[in-house]
Amino acid sequence: VERVEYTLDGGALQQVATNAGFAIALADLAPGPHKVVLKPVDVNGIAGLPVEAAFTTAGGAPAIRLDTVTQAAGATPFAPGAVFTPGDKDGKLSGAISFAGGTLQAQYSLGGAAPQALSLRKGTAETERLFDIVLPKGVAPGRLDVAVTATDGLGTTGELRAVLFAGPEPSSP
């Protein structure tokens, strides 16, 4: 074998010289499924049978962010340790998930409770989903741990953990 000719995802024909083993650099591939078709060619220019290899490139883990805490008094940017008023009819925590691979499933947990499915809606980009978590109405004052996990269609999982506090806003001295 003098060279190997190949195409990646049906693109332009490439070749690599070889007289033994060989390697193909596949840099900067988008996350998702790919296919490379390889064909050996001998010193006389006679090509062998093509061989196909399918593979999947995983992207980075889904990136989860918390954006706002909304209550009847309005929305404020989220900050770790934010305070919310239990029983507020409009109480919710809003955020977004950016991801690379096809589909996305997410869940959340408040205060160590069993995880619940998170309802997602499209964001500003095809690879962004928005969510709202309704803040509990009957929670005792104090710390409330928030956990959000997201898994994309390639099986890559991202997680975010944050802390909120249930209770009245602290008074100024």
Side-chain angles (χ1 to χ4, degrees), residues 66-71 74-83 92-94 164 169:
L66 298 174
D67 296 327
T68 57
V69 178
T70 303
Q71 299 186 88
T76 57
F78 172 79
V83 177
K92 69 179 176 181
L93 184 59
S94 300
L164 294 175
E169 288 288 336

Side-chain angles (χ1 to χ4, degrees), residues 35-142:
K35 180 173 77 171
V36 64
V37 178
L38 305 146
K39 183 171 45 172
V41 180
D42 69 16
V43 294
N44 297 313
I46 298 174
L49 294 175
V51 175
E52 290 184 13
F55 61 96
T56 300
T57 303
I64 305 163
R65 71 174 193 267
L66 298 174
D67 296 327
T68 57
V69 178
T70 303
Q71 299 186 88
T76 57
F78 172 79
V83 177
F84 72 96
T85 305
D88 188 307
K89 66 179 180 64
D90 297 325
K92 69 179 176 181
L93 184 59
S94 300
I97 304 170
S98 298
F99 65 105
T103 61
L104 185 72
Q105 293 184 339
Q107 59 185 16
Y108 73 97
S109 174
L110 295 174
Q116 298 181 46
L118 199 51
S119 178
L120 302 171
R121 61 189 185 281
K122 285 187 177 183
T124 56
E126 184 59 36
T127 56
E128 179 183 64
R129 297 294 181 267
L130 306 176
F131 64 86
D132 293 318
I133 298 171
V134 175
L135 294 172
K137 309 256 185 287
V139 67

